[in-house]
Each structure stands twice: as structure tokens, then as C-alpha cells.
Amino acid sequence: MGIETGIGLIIGVFLIWIGYIARTKGIISLLAGFWITWEPVNNEKLGNRIGILFIILGVLAILTAIFTIWFGAVVGKISAILALIDAIMIFIVIGLDQMGR
């Protein structure tokens, strides 16, 4: 039980760190690590939005790791649905950026 909680906490902190980088340095610094040649329309606005969504995903991972101790698999299922919604929102934000909003 302790190893799963530790892994969840580490992943959560890592996702929060990625969100912080996206918010402070813009999304280009995050995409450069993946060698993607795509240019966002508004780097600052997109970086802020995606950074916030990654921070939410990191907090969700940390809370899932903590609450799984008491509530078990139910929390994992709820967290998976929320993480899927968050991932869909990231794609929506990228699409809105490409439309120029």
C-alpha cells in the first residue's frame, strides 16, 4: 500500500512541476522537449491554460494516492474519469488556440 501511495505522490508532484513550467515559461518550452514543430498562436495564454490543467491533474493524482488508502478502488474509478475529462480539456484548449481564441 505504501509503494502505490509513494508513486502517486511522485507523479502528482511531477505533473504540478510540468504545469508550473508551462505557466511560467510558456508552452513552447514544454513542447521543445518533445521535438514538436507546432507553433501555438498565443504562447502565453495557451501556456497559462495548459499549466493550470496540468496542475489540476497533479493535485488529482496526489488526492487519489491519499484517498485510495481509505476508499480503495472507488476513488481510482472516479479519479480516472476526472483525469480523462482533464485530458479532453487539454485537447480542447489546444484546438481553441489554433482557432485564435
Side-chain angles (χ1 to χ4, degrees):
M1 188 69 94
I3 293 174
E4 294 90 359
T5 303
I7 291 171
L9 293 175
I10 290 170
I11 290 173
V13 169
F14 180 70
L15 288 171
I16 291 173
W17 177 69
I18 288 175
Y20 175 75
I21 287 175
R23 286 195 70 197
T24 57
K25 300 185 191 279
I27 196 67
I28 287 294
S29 62
L30 193 65
L31 293 175
F34 297 110
W35 295 349
I36 296 175
T37 59
W38 165 70
E39 284 285 329
V41 175
N42 190 344
N43 186 28
E44 184 178 319
K45 188 185 288 186
L46 182 65
N48 192 25
R49 289 177 179 169
I50 289 185
I52 290 171
L53 289 172
F54 268 113
I55 291 172
I56 290 171
L57 196 60
V59 169
L60 185 65
I62 290 173
L63 290 176
T64 302
I66 293 171
F67 287 127
T68 302
I69 296 171
W70 293 291
F71 301 112
V74 175
V75 173
K77 291 175 185 175
I78 294 170
S79 177
I81 292 169
L82 292 175
L84 182 64
I85 291 170
D86 194 34
I88 291 170
M89 289 176 59
I90 288 174
F91 288 117
I92 290 171
V93 166
I94 291 172
L96 287 174
D97 177 70
Q98 289 302 300
M99 291 189 325
R101 295 185 183 245

